Amino acid sequence: AEFLVTAGGSRRHLVIDARQVRFMSSMGLGFCIASRNEASRRGASSHMVGAAAELLDMFRLMKLDTLFHFPRGEDELAKRLSA
């Protein structure tokens, strides 16, 4: 979550691009959660785009799917980011 600190406090959205992620270790999962928690602390929404079905299943299984918005495509992401 350190990159959020260096990015500045005026950010309203955290977007994680998962389009090329085929496997996520517990360390990667922990990073996503820590980043989301820091974004939330700063009042930012959290989005994960392009997550493969297996990754979405893992988030659902671990009850973590409520931590992120999972927009279906660029148009939906743009809509959420403009809100």
Side-chain angles (χ1 to χ4, degrees):
E2 187 175 326
F3 74 94
L4 290 171
V5 174
T6 59
S10 64
R11 304 294 189 243
R12 296 183 350 185
H13 306 283
L14 167 68
V15 178
I16 297 175
D17 184 347
R19 287 180 284 198
Q20 295 185 14
V21 176
R22 296 295 164 243
F23 170 81
M24 186 175 290
S25 68
S26 59
M27 183 179 277
L29 188 60
F31 177 79
C32 288
I33 293 167
S35 299
R36 180 266 175 199
N37 290 345
E38 181 64 20
S40 180
R41 189 180 73 74
R42 293 171 180 265
S45 61
S46 298
H47 311 271
M48 185 175 292
V49 295
E54 295 84 6
L55 187 58
L56 286 172
D57 288 344
M58 182 182 73
F59 272 77
R60 285 186 194 108
L61 179 68
M62 299 180 77
K63 307 280 191 235
L64 300 173
D65 56 321
T66 60
L67 300 179
F68 296 90
H69 298 283
F70 293 93
R72 297 179 191 161
E74 299 291 326
D75 290 340
E76 187 177 335
L77 176 62
K79 216 183 263 187
R80 287 189 177 270
L81 296 182
S82 66

